[in-house]
């Protein structure tokens, strides 16, 4: 009888445990014909970490509040996100805001244009969004440069990326995601309970 009691208790407990969205942002970067562009997606829930966007302080953001905070959000993004080349100073120009629904909730979608006087041969990205206020934040980047592509995870300890030349070190990129996945499981009590329930 007792051997069935623990699994049943876990099942009962599981009914009140819900999956949670990791506080990630998504960055897509494309380099084609010497031109840089991209998109940035940030969770609406994370915008209060950037500026006082929730004007009426009711814990519910409206699209009007987000649009009124556009100047502050744009300034923050251009200060904490750099796209360019090793020997060329580039200017980041965020476009019109859009709202996008994703599996993890509502996201602010920001198209990005990059003005570079000359194109270089070493594409670089610097990312420091939200790290000062949320050490658990992660920036997930997908980058396409000509026929080369890569994925990368920005963390508080890993805020710069340089597109490597030649064959891409895919194993290194893969290990980065494996490491982040292990850390995500380890820091979530619901994940540990699920693994314990599987073992039992």
């Amino acid at each position: 009888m007792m051997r069935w009691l623990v699994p049943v208790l876990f099942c009962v407990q599981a009914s009140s445990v819900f999956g949670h969205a990791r506080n990630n942002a998504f960055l897509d970067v494309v380099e084609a014909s010497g031109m840089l562009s991209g998109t940035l997606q940030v969770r609406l829930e994370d915008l209060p970490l950037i500026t006082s966007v929730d004007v009426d302080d009711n814990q519910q953001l409206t699209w009007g509040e987000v649009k009124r905070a556009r100047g502050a959000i744009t300034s923050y993004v251009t200060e904490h996100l750099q796209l360019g080349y090793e020997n060329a100073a580039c200017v980041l120009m965020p476009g019109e805001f859009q709202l996008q629904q994703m599996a993890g909730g509502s996201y602010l979608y920001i198209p990005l244009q990059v003005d570079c006087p000359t194109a270089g041969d070493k594409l670089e990205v610097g990312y420091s969004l939200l790290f000062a206020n949320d050490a658990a934040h992660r920036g997930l980047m997908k980058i396409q440069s000509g026929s080369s592509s890569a994925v990368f995870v920005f963390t508080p300890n890993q805020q710069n990326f340089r597109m490597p030349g030649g064959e891409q070190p895919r194993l290194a990129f893969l290990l980065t995601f494996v490491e982040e996945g292990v850390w995500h499981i380890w820091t979530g009590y619901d994940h540990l309970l699920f693994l314990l329930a599987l073992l039992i």
Side-chain angles (χ1 to χ4, degrees), residues 11-197:
C11 290
V12 172
Q13 175 65 23
S15 65
S16 62
V17 176
F18 297 91
H20 59 274
R22 184 81 179 268
N23 43 341
N24 296 330
F26 301 92
L27 175 65
D28 285 346
V29 179
V30 177
E31 180 191 39
S33 302
M35 300 291 292
L36 278 177
S37 62
T39 61
L40 175 66
Q41 294 155 290
V42 182
R43 286 198 319 165
L44 291 188
E45 295 177 18
D46 290 335
L47 294 183
L49 298 177
I50 295 177
T51 184
S52 300
V53 64
D54 189 9
V55 178
D56 53 15
D57 198 27
N58 66 350
Q59 308 300 316
Q60 293 182 348
L61 290 182
T62 66
W63 185 237
E65 289 174 326
V66 173
K67 289 195 295 184
R68 281 193 292 271
R70 185 182 188 280
I73 296 172
T74 297
S75 296
Y76 181 88
V77 169
T78 55
E79 180 181 350
H80 292 85
L81 178 62
Q82 295 83 40
L83 302 176
Y85 300 94
E86 183 181 25
N87 299 317
C90 300
V91 178
L92 182 66
M93 298 175 294
E96 290 298 321
F97 289 177
Q98 302 174 41
L99 183 63
Q100 188 172 55
Q101 296 294 329
M102 299 176 63
S106 298
Y107 279 73
L108 178 63
Y109 177 94
I110 308 174
L112 304 171
Q113 294 297 325
V114 187
D115 183 17
C116 297
T118 58
D121 58 353
K122 292 183 179 179
L123 181 57
E124 296 183 339
V125 181
Y127 180 105
S128 59
L129 277 74
L130 302 176
F131 291 146
N133 298 316
D134 184 1
H137 175 73
R138 296 294 182 265
L140 308 183
M141 180 179 68
K142 180 177 66 176
I143 186 167
Q144 180 76 37
S145 177
S147 60
S148 299
S149 62
V151 291
F152 192 75
V153 180
F154 291 103
T155 70
N157 298 321
Q158 192 169 244
Q159 300 184 18
N160 296 288
F161 170 87
R162 174 182 291 181
M163 191 72 173
E167 185 177 353
Q168 308 305 311
R170 298 182 185 277
L171 179 59
F173 295 143
L174 176 62
L175 290 177
T176 298
F177 277 90
V178 171
E179 179 183 349
E180 287 299 317
V182 171
W183 178 248
H184 178 56
I185 293 174
W186 182 251
T187 55
Y189 76 92
D190 53 334
H191 301 140
L192 297 179
L193 286 175
F194 175 72
L195 291 177
L196 183 58

